[in-house]
Amino acid sequence: MDDGVQTEYTGIAAEFAKARAERDKEEAKGLRDSSVNAKAFNKQKEIEFSASHALLIAFFCLLLFLQLLGVYLFASGFLLTRLVLDHKSKCDVPPVPLDQSTSLSTSEHGCWHPKTFDRAVIILIDALRYDFTVPYLSSDPHHYHNTLKILHEISVQQPNNAFLLPFIADPPTTTLQRLKALTTGTLPTFIDAGSNFAGTAIDEDNLIAQLLNASKTVVHLGDDTWHSLFPGYFDANLTKPYDSFNVWDLHTVDNGVSKHIFPLLDPKNSSKWDVIIGHYLGVDHAGHRYGPDHPAMTAKLEQMDDVFRRLIATVDDDTLLVILGDHGMDSKGDHGGESDDEVEAALWMYSKKGIFGRSDPSFVEPPRTAKERPVAQIDLVPTLALLLGLPIPFNNLGKPIEEAFIGSSGKNYENVARVHRLAAAQIHRYMNEYKQVRGLDSGAFGGADSMWDKATSTWATLGSLKSVVSKPWTDIAKEFGEYQRQTLQTCRDLWARFDLISMLHGVEILLASLIALIVYGCAIDGDTTELSPLLVARGFIGTAAGAAVGSALAFSVSTLPAIHTTVYCTAVGGLIGIGSAYWYARRRLTVPLPKSLWSWTAVTLTLLLSIGFASNSYTIWEDQTLLVFVATFGILMLASSIGQQSLTNRALGCYHSVLFIILTRAASFSRLCREEQMPHCRSSYYASASSSTSAVWTLLIPFALSFLLPSIVKSYYDTTQSYQGSAVLWIGSAFRIGLVLTAMFWSLDAADDNDWLDMNKDTLKTIKTFVAQTVLAIAFAAGHSLFGYASPFLNIRTNSSDDSNPTDEAIASDSGSSAISIQGYNNVHGTRYFILLTIWGLGIILLQKPLGGGVIGILVWQILCLLEIIAANPSLRSTAVGPIVLALLGSYHFFKTGHAATFSSIQWDTAFIPLKTVRYPWSPIVIVLNSLGAQILCAIAVPLTQLWKVPPRKQGLMGSVTRAMTQHFLFYAVIGLATTLWAGHLRRHLMLYRVFMPRFLMATVVGAVVQVVGIFVGIGGLRWTFLSVGEVFGWT
Amino acid sequence: MNRHALITEKKGAGPEKSDQKAPPSPAPSPSAPITTLDSGLARIYTHLHPLLVLSLFFFRFQATVEDPVTTLTNGLAPLGILQIIYVVLCLPATGSSTPSSAAKPTPKPSRGKKTQAGKGDGGVAGRTVPAMLSHLLTTLLATPLLTIILILFGAPVTSKLWETLLCAAHMSALAIMPLVYVHGVDEGRWWEVASLMSPVDEVFGAAIGTMVGAWAGAVPIPLDWDREWQKWPVTIVTGAYMGWAVGKLLGGTLLRGKRIDLG
């Protein structure tokens, strides 16, 4: 089809052939039979290349390492940390002297307070949002409304037996953090959020440990997260843990819990246990998989309703039944953040003893919304402890729930006051310990301490008062309650206290590393790779020296924590080493100021984006900003293409610029709105705003992709006749088969979702994962081996002089009658390297939802457009435009593949595309490939900006690729530093946890991942490209 | 596919080897910036004009915020008239292919144009017809084009289409209409304009200013200030007007004769 196509190579060819005809002839012969001399020369060149390539990778790794040290220092000061005290509350050591009348300090009757129950059944419904449990009275209810009725029903009908309240979680709303808070009664700190994938044992005092101390038998059923938190705490025979992370499985855990819990409740088994903890996951998984507004959620809530009814019927008279949610879910069924929907869970307590009450008769009706009369989740800890006669866990900050202690009359304020006093006294004891350990002065708790004094003095007046009626119980309860409230507030502030020195040191390191990158990427004259040996040597020596000095200082003079001193000195040492290398080579440095309009635009847009992150609005609307920025570059590239003198370049440039802009806008129709963008945004990534499944029509996309994408790639190869050799095998067959299998995978998935196939679910799942694993094997195993061993995509033809096709490359002519021509000569490097992009593209397309796969397909096409634009605008090649546009594109398509800078937008369920269960390290890798697929692909594409359509023997290619890669890294480093600065600066901002901190964490992770991929896949992949091209054409 | 169809030439090969020049491509001979007419009225009105246009816009700003469609529609005619007055009084008309210039035969565009414009002949009345034609041409051709560009830059597609269209109409009346008036259908000059290689003068400067202003006008939209004026397309139009005035001023004075270097 491309016989008429002419490309740039003919021009080169003419010159090439003319100027170096003799040598070319030798070379052409050399393709078949080369002399020993040339072989030796090539061998030496090859070794030189390998060495400089390895040094280059080493230097990039050093720079990444230094940045990570900076991030570590900043994060250790910024991500809140709380000192964990390992004190334990003891039954015989109450926090305040107990009253004569209630001094029953034995576990027989209850430790610090007379116990109400001996046994309890605690049912945790993961993600039980409050509005699932109360009637919805307006018109058009959602699927989750008015389904789970039993809790509300019983609370209203039997107010003395049950109460239902909103149960507010402290963010982060991840299950592991919630379980910690629900058992220890303390506030979670942020740094724990990351450990959700691999929970660690709780070493603080907690309810489960207190139960064990009191020789109670605790049985756990359901979510196995509990076992990572409380290893060995549960009765080994009766406990049945289930895998918790398989969010695509709605029923295994729930059915398992139900199967085992009801036999235990049978009277004949009642002696075997004291406390049962049942953790149901179905509601949470239905939310993750389908979103709350889906029939699957209705079915799940109906099932729960039925379970609760059976529980109420079977539970005996002396057992407390608690049903609670650990967090809510957002409108798409995800959680992790601190939006209202995510923190508003429900708490329901039930007992046939009839001991619950309300202080006001109107409180019998549970609150309509979670905004009225909420209790904190940590309040459950003292409540349960006192109801079961246990000491309140040492670190608890919650207060007892009034309804559980006020008595059926609703007037027993004495009891309320007593439990409030106990809880407050324990908090007071804890705070005193904390102050001592931390070396804080008492001023830190000024307000709370005076409230404590006031409350204790009111308590002291009790003895003098004779009349029972006039005793100020309500005041006491209020004052102790106020002490608790103020202390909790102080603790929130205290644990939101940032270590400014750490943060500052971190920022210093990041800034210095950024400058090192800027110098390396923009200020070095000539081939940057020549400096590698110097930079690597001095950099590593500096780092080692810094580490030595740092650890020496850490253990002698430094007052800072040892690890801090060591890390800081190591980084400073490394940076000084690199700086000295720059100084040594100072004659080769220039001032890194933008020199052309292109550079100015690249720098300005990067800076504008960075400045924008200081505002929550621009962070929230980053996707739209990126669209405008990418389109701006598109328009500028169009204008530049129009200005080309050569008609071919002009036409090619214009065509690809227009296509580039249109594709950008086309991708923008795939949107996932974050909560803050509402109501000005409509999501299209999922079937509906409250769903996390793809719409059925999106199934067409993977099929269209398998049809179109290989042909699109082929058409770009065809322009230089590079569709040769193993490229045909890979792009024409393997790549296409992989895409067809991806389409099959998503069809099976949709069939599974919508029950199209009458087939065993397990079998279906096995087939699905097998298909997905095959695609990954094609991409990464077969693809990489092909990439490693393929020769350049060339075809050598001997043409007779009257060949009708004049576009062939005439490299060497033996005589007038025939010529050896090489097809694919003009894009040897580019097409060879591009295979890497299709390998990773295939893998990443599989790991996206169908719409996301389509977006990645568009991204691949856009990258090809960009490469053609650069080839058509010769002056663009040496500017930062290519790398920066790729960085913008990567960031843009991050949003277009259904992600956002929020925790809840992480598509956890994609971990189960190629795997049935969570497996390390594969599951986290899959999540990274899903989340950062676009940025990864763009990082891999960076070398192409220098390789696409350049002559195979061009000088200094490695240097220009290095420069481009550095500029690409620079974009992310600038964004990383900016978000770090803003997060640090705005650390008291209302939106810190919703907007700035997630963006900072995202920038950090993206920066690290992009650099790792860029170094090892991008720069690393060059090795095979250059070696294979060098083998054919010799080294320059 | 049309990519292939477009390629009829052998392509220059990357940075080093673009030795081949396309024969039909316009000669890169530097064209001169437009000079305003050499009359006292022109010299005064060219500075008065932005003030008039801006005050007209800001006088109706409140109404634009309240009801963009009606106000922007009503604003089109006054803007058109002001722009026609401006080009007629201050700018040299294009030399070719318009009825009026047939009456006054002009040699080749640009260079020859300037001297003729300098003399200021042709007469106000004679230049009114081409000005009106320019306005018509601009409204018909440039408005849809700018609408598409606005949409490509992220303007909503399914809603607010009238707003976008009117925004594009105002932008084209500000930026494109004077360009049409001075360049007519001179292919070479338009090629320079489209590739941003035209020398900066008050007409080209105003056009660039309009575009940059509209671009910058998008900046306040995402802010969570909950102001009425943040709604589409008020900020874009405002940015375009202000950018136009600044661009016109700078293009006619400080930056006159300079060139944007994309190369």
Side-chain angles (χ1 to χ4, degrees):
Chain A
M1 70 182 272
D2 288 309
D3 281 0
V5 173
Q6 311 262 333
T7 37
E8 63 205 29
Y9 55 74
T10 322
I12 310 169
E15 191 173 306
F16 204 89
K18 207 189 294 173
R20 301 197 280 187
E22 279 310 302
R23 194 171 154 191
D24 288 345
K25 205 182 280 182
E26 268 168 39
E27 252 184 48
K29 280 179 195 154
L31 291 172
R32 287 156 292 182
D33 173 34
S34 69
S35 69
V36 182
N37 251 356
K39 245 184 187 167
F41 173 77
N42 273 347
K43 194 73 205 159
Q44 188 202 336
K45 278 291 184 181
E46 191 182 312
I47 292 166
E48 276 173 25
F49 165 75
S50 299
S52 83
H53 183 260
L55 281 176
L56 187 63
I57 288 188
F59 181 62
F60 271 123
C61 287
L62 178 65
L63 281 176
L64 174 61
F65 175 67
L66 294 176
Q67 291 172 65
L68 289 179
L69 291 183
V71 167
Y72 169 79
L73 277 182
F74 179 84
S76 68
F78 178 65
L79 298 178
L80 310 178
T81 48
R82 175 173 57 89
L83 190 70
V84 174
L85 300 183
D86 45 12
H87 298 62
K88 307 273 186 266
S89 289
K90 293 203 174 61
C91 194
D92 45 5
V93 191
V96 278
L98 297 176
D99 246 25
Q100 286 303 315
S101 56
T102 54
S103 178
L104 308 152
S105 213
T106 59
S107 49
E108 273 301 292
H109 302 93
C111 278
W112 299 349
H113 190 79
K115 65 179 165 188
T116 321
F117 298 98
D118 278 314
R119 294 140 59 79
V121 174
I122 299 162
I123 302 296
L124 203 155
I125 309 294
D126 217 282
L128 180 68
R129 206 163 78 187
Y130 185 70
D131 62 345
F132 295 177
T133 63
V134 284
Y136 182 76
L137 301 176
S138 318
S139 55
D140 47 72
H142 294 288
H143 282 109
Y144 48 80
H145 280 133
N146 300 334
T147 308
L148 184 57
K149 296 178 188 150
I150 178 73
L151 305 182
H152 182 266
E153 199 176 294
I154 300 278
S155 315
V156 175
Q157 286 167 5
Q158 312 169 23
N160 290 340
N161 285 350
F163 62 87
L164 172 64
L165 286 174
F167 196 40
I168 307 302
D170 291 298
T173 47
T174 46
T175 297
L176 186 122
Q177 308 306 315
R178 295 290 80 233
L179 295 187
K180 277 190 178 178
L182 284 167
T183 51
T184 61
T186 190
L187 295 172
T189 40
F190 203 84
I191 198 133
D192 295 325
S195 49
N196 204 341
F197 255 107
T200 46
I202 293 183
D203 44 9
E204 282 177 278
D205 196 10
N206 61 72
L207 273 181
I208 311 294
Q210 290 293 351
L211 282 167
L212 220 61
N213 262 355
S215 329
K216 306 239 179 198
T217 309
V218 187
V219 176
H220 166 260
L221 306 167
D223 187 341
D224 63 354
T225 313
W226 288 83
H227 291 264
S228 45
L229 289 173
F230 304 105
Y233 281 51
F234 302 111
D235 184 272
N237 296 324
L238 301 173
T239 293
K240 308 282 176 211
Y242 291 88
D243 180 24
S244 61
F245 278 114
N246 194 346
V247 294
W248 282 19
D249 180 350
L250 267 57
H251 300 298
T252 308
V253 179
D254 289 8
N255 294 345
V257 176
S258 295
K259 184 176 138 200
H260 292 108
I261 202 168
F262 289 107
L264 285 176
L265 293 176
D266 193 278
K268 67 175 187 288
N269 286 330
S270 63
S271 59
K272 290 183 180 167
W273 56 271
D274 296 297
V275 173
I276 300 177
I277 296 166
H279 191 145
Y280 284 88
L281 283 171
V283 174
D284 181 55
H285 288 187
H288 281 302
R289 185 166 176 189
Y290 299 107
D293 198 8
H294 189 278
M297 182 61 83
T298 317
K300 203 73 226 177
L301 290 174
E302 269 165 6
Q303 185 195 351
M304 288 297 115
D305 192 71
D306 179 59
V307 166
F308 298 162
R309 282 174 204 272
R310 286 167 65 199
L311 277 173
I312 291 163
T314 44
V315 78
D316 67 36
D317 295 358
D318 300 323
T319 302
L320 171 69
L321 174 62
V322 185
I323 291 174
L324 56 104
D326 57 344
H327 49 74
M329 59 173 73
D330 66 12
S331 59
K332 291 198 338 311
D334 299 320
H335 57 85
E338 56 169 334
S339 69
D340 287 352
D341 278 344
E342 287 166 278
V343 300
E344 290 169 351
L347 170 70
W348 187 76
M349 285 204 187
Y350 174 81
S351 134
K352 291 177 180 161
K353 277 189 175 175
I355 51 117
F356 298 135
R358 314 284 192 280
S359 57
D360 185 317
S362 68
F363 288 175
V364 167
E365 172 73 28
R368 284 249 166 271
T369 70
K371 308 287 183 288
E372 301 159 44
R373 295 195 286 133
V375 296
Q377 294 207 340
I378 50 172
D379 293 352
L380 182 73
V381 173
T383 308
L384 271 187
L386 295 172
L387 285 176
L388 292 170
L390 304 169
I392 299 174
F394 196 85
N395 295 349
N396 165 65
L397 292 171
K399 65 169 190 297
I401 296 167
E402 190 183 72
E403 276 79 353
F405 296 98
I406 202 160
S408 51
S409 64
K411 300 222 160 46
N412 193 352
Y413 282 104
E414 176 177 350
N415 197 33
V416 174
R418 283 181 190 283
V419 291
H420 267 99
R421 172 167 173 260
L422 278 171
Q426 177 52 42
I427 292 171
H428 191 65
R429 182 156 71 172
Y430 167 68
M431 292 317 297
N432 282 340
E433 279 301 325
Y434 192 86
K435 272 186 267 186
Q436 243 175 29
V437 175
R438 262 275 147 114
L440 302 170
D441 55 355
S442 49
F445 302 94
D449 278 345
S450 63
M451 188 44 83
W452 169 257
D453 295 340
K454 187 173 169 204
T456 42
S457 66
T458 317
W459 177 265
T461 61
L462 280 178
S464 59
L465 293 169
K466 290 280 176 286
S467 150
V468 179
V469 186
S470 61
K471 285 194 178 177
W473 295 116
T474 44
D475 290 349
I476 291 170
K478 257 191 208 131
E479 283 163 8
F480 280 117
E482 180 60 20
Y483 168 71
Q484 181 269 348
R485 200 191 60 76
Q486 287 190 11
T487 312
L488 186 61
Q489 192 51 52
T490 318
C491 285
R492 282 216 169 97
D493 294 347
L494 192 72
W495 292 330
R497 203 176 56 173
F498 303 94
D499 181 352
L500 289 180
I501 298 179
S502 263
M503 287 163 65
L504 195 68
H505 283 169
V507 169
E508 284 166 15
I509 303 294
L510 282 175
L511 185 67
S513 315
L514 181 72
I515 292 170
L517 265 177
I518 292 176
V519 173
Y520 191 62
C522 309
I524 297 178
D525 237 9
D527 193 339
T528 41
T529 48
E530 286 164 13
L531 295 184
S532 295
L534 178 72
L535 285 166
V536 169
R538 296 207 175 191
F540 275 94
I541 291 170
T543 311
V549 171
S551 37
L553 283 179
F555 296 105
S556 52
V557 285
S558 170
T559 53
L560 295 166
I563 181 122
H564 179 136
T565 317
T566 317
V567 166
Y568 184 64
C569 291
T570 308
V572 169
L575 288 162
I576 290 176
I578 294 174
S580 79
Y582 286 147
W583 179 250
Y584 183 80
R586 62 189 176 280
R587 286 178 198 288
R588 288 197 48 187
L589 300 188
T590 53
V591 184
L593 271 180
K595 287 173 195 76
S596 66
L597 183 76
W598 286 116
S599 318
W600 274 111
T601 316
V603 170
T604 312
L605 291 191
T606 309
L607 289 181
L608 274 180
L609 199 64
S610 307
I611 294 165
F613 288 129
S615 143
N616 48 331
S617 306
Y618 293 116
T619 312
I620 289 165
W621 291 95
E622 190 186 347
D623 55 335
Q624 294 297 96
T625 315
L626 287 168
L627 167 64
V628 173
F629 284 10
V630 174
T632 306
F633 265 115
I635 290 282
L636 283 178
M637 292 191 293
L638 176 64
S640 164
S641 300
I642 293 173
Q644 287 307 308
Q645 293 296 331
S646 145
L647 247 195
T648 317
N649 279 352
R650 195 190 301 173
L652 271 177
C654 291
Y655 169 75
H656 285 112
S657 304
V658 170
L659 190 60
F660 180 86
I661 301 168
I662 291 174
L663 287 174
T664 308
R665 183 69 170 107
S668 79
F669 289 105
S670 165
R671 284 186 95 173
L672 177 86
C673 307
R674 52 189 288 170
E675 203 197 355
E676 295 85 355
Q677 287 179 311
M678 297 301 182
H680 306 291
C681 173
R682 227 176 58 212
S683 291
S684 60
Y685 198 73
Y686 295 111
S688 74
S690 55
S691 156
S692 52
T693 47
S694 304
V696 174
W697 71 264
T698 57
L699 268 187
L700 293 174
I701 293 173
F703 284 102
L705 212 56
S706 65
F707 184 67
L708 293 175
L709 195 56
S711 311
I712 291 169
V713 174
K714 174 179 180 290
S715 74
Y716 283 82
Y717 272 51
D718 276 338
T719 57
T720 47
Q721 291 174 313
S722 302
Y723 197 61
Q724 312 278 3
S726 34
V728 180
L729 177 72
W730 172 252
I731 295 165
S733 311
F735 186 50
R736 196 183 289 273
I737 290 169
L739 289 171
V740 170
L741 286 177
T742 306
M744 264 178 62
F745 173 87
W746 287 108
S747 312
L748 288 173
D749 181 68
D752 187 11
D753 272 2
N754 301 305
D755 295 319
W756 290 340
L757 293 178
D758 188 21
M759 199 170 178
N760 185 311
K761 292 264 175 195
D762 259 355
T763 324
L764 195 59
K765 199 189 264 178
T766 311
I767 300 174
K768 262 168 55 182
T769 43
F770 176 73
V771 170
Q773 285 170 1
T774 312
V775 176
L776 291 181
I778 291 177
F780 292 109
H784 275 139
S785 8
L786 182 132
F787 179 74
Y789 296 112
S791 334
F793 309 131
L794 298 166
N795 190 25
I796 298 151
R797 291 210 326 210
T798 313
N799 300 334
S800 57
S801 57
D802 55 50
D803 196 305
S804 59
N805 184 355
T807 66
D808 279 353
E809 179 73 11
I811 276 287
S813 47
D814 292 329
S815 65
S817 64
S818 75
I820 294 170
S821 69
I822 303 180
Q823 294 176 317
Y825 176 82
N826 263 285
N827 199 0
V828 178
H829 283 297
T831 51
R832 178 73 178 74
Y833 183 88
F834 191 83
I835 294 297
L836 205 51
L837 208 72
T838 54
I839 292 169
W840 286 75
L842 177 60
I844 289 167
I845 286 172
L846 170 79
L847 298 176
Q848 305 291 331
K849 303 279 169 79
L851 189 54
V855 170
I856 295 291
I858 290 182
L859 172 62
V860 171
W861 198 356
Q862 281 191 288
I863 290 173
L864 284 166
C865 287
L866 179 69
L867 298 175
E868 289 291 336
I869 295 169
I870 291 174
N873 290 270
S875 61
L876 268 183
R877 177 100 59 195
S878 59
T879 64
V881 170
I884 298 297
V885 172
L886 280 174
L888 288 171
L889 267 184
S891 313
Y892 173 65
H893 285 285
F894 167 81
F895 293 95
K896 299 298 122 187
T897 47
H899 301 95
T902 60
F903 291 101
S904 56
S905 76
I906 299 175
Q907 298 168 13
W908 297 110
D909 54 348
T910 52
F912 299 98
I913 290 176
L915 293 169
K916 280 171 134 181
T917 52
V918 174
R919 296 240 300 271
Y920 296 95
W922 306 112
S923 300
I925 290 178
V926 169
I927 295 292
V928 168
L929 281 175
N930 167 274
S931 306
L932 309 180
Q935 287 104 323
I936 288 173
L937 215 51
C938 287
I940 298 175
V942 171
L944 284 169
T945 60
Q946 306 304 318
L947 299 181
W948 195 257
K949 291 192 172 174
V950 297
R953 292 169 61 92
K954 191 181 169 190
Q955 294 278 345
L957 261 188
M958 199 63 203
S960 50
V961 170
T962 308
R963 188 189 304 262
M965 196 51 105
T966 315
Q967 287 163 348
H968 189 72
F969 291 168
L970 259 176
F971 173 87
Y972 290 108
V974 170
I975 301 290
L977 179 64
T979 50
T980 307
L981 280 176
W982 302 139
H985 178 67
L986 299 167
R987 59 191 180 277
R988 300 286 176 203
H989 195 283
L990 191 64
M991 292 284 199
L992 178 70
Y993 292 104
R994 271 196 192 196
V995 174
F996 299 110
M997 162 129 35
R999 192 63 187 82
F1000 151 69
L1001 288 174
M1002 181 190 145
T1004 306
V1005 173
V1006 169
V1009 168
V1010 161
Q1011 293 195 40
V1012 167
V1013 170
I1015 294 168
F1016 291 103
V1017 183
I1019 303 276
L1022 285 176
R1023 188 187 156 88
W1024 285 273
T1025 310
F1026 279 25
L1027 284 180
S1028 77
V1029 174
E1031 205 170 290
V1032 175
F1033 291 96
W1035 296 85
T1036 50
Chain B
M1 290 115 246
N2 47 344
R3 176 161 44 89
H4 302 301
L6 283 169
I7 304 160
T8 54
E9 265 295 310
K10 290 184 179 178
K11 209 176 129 202
E16 313 79 20
K17 318 246 168 181
S18 54
D19 50 344
Q20 294 182 325
K21 274 174 196 141
S25 89
S29 63
S31 44
I34 298 289
T35 314
T36 46
L37 294 181
D38 190 22
S39 71
L41 186 60
R43 273 196 295 266
I44 295 168
Y45 187 71
T46 191
H47 294 297
L48 201 61
H49 178 64
L51 295 178
L52 280 176
V53 171
L54 283 188
S55 33
L56 184 76
F57 178 72
F58 284 103
F59 175 67
R60 298 170 63 89
F61 185 75
Q62 228 11 271
T64 313
V65 172
E66 273 154 28
D67 183 3
V69 175
T70 317
T71 319
L72 287 179
T73 315
N74 295 342
L76 267 182
L79 175 66
I81 293 167
L82 277 177
Q83 284 286 81
I84 289 172
I85 295 174
Y86 160 65
V87 296
V88 167
L89 288 184
C90 308
L91 296 180
T94 179
S96 55
S97 73
T98 53
S100 74
S101 56
K104 41 163 188 122
T106 320
K108 255 292 173 196
S110 50
R111 210 85 58 90
K113 169 114 290 326
K114 198 176 52 186
T115 51
Q116 201 191 24
K119 286 178 213 142
D121 59 351
V124 169
R127 292 199 300 262
T128 310
V129 179
M132 290 169 80
L133 278 172
S134 309
H135 190 60
L136 191 71
L137 200 65
T138 310
T139 315
L140 287 181
L141 293 179
T143 306
L145 190 70
L146 279 172
T147 310
I148 291 170
I149 291 177
L150 283 174
I151 286 174
L152 286 175
F153 267 78
V157 192
T158 48
S159 58
K160 311 222 171 184
L161 211 56
W162 272 114
E163 280 91 339
T164 311
L165 201 66
L166 285 164
C167 176
H170 276 256
M171 282 170 69
S172 59
L174 287 171
I176 315 293
M177 183 269 190
L179 280 172
V180 174
Y181 179 81
V182 295
H183 296 322
V185 288
D186 181 343
E187 205 183 317
R189 289 306 294 258
W190 278 107
W191 177 73
E192 281 189 337
V193 169
S195 60
L196 307 181
M197 294 197 297
S198 186
V200 172
D201 50 50
E202 71 168 68
V203 178
F204 186 61
I208 294 293
T210 312
M211 301 306 158
V212 174
W215 192 95
V219 170
I221 295 179
L223 288 170
D224 55 355
W225 294 346
D226 289 327
R227 298 297 164 85
E228 187 69 9
W229 54 258
Q230 281 176 289
K231 76 181 174 192
W232 185 261
V234 177
T235 53
I236 307 288
V237 181
T238 312
Y241 270 85
M242 288 174 13
W244 168 79
V246 173
K248 182 176 175 302
L249 182 70
L250 291 181
T253 53
L254 268 182
L255 301 177
R256 189 181 153 75
K258 294 214 163 50
R259 280 167 201 270
I260 298 170
D261 183 20
L262 272 178

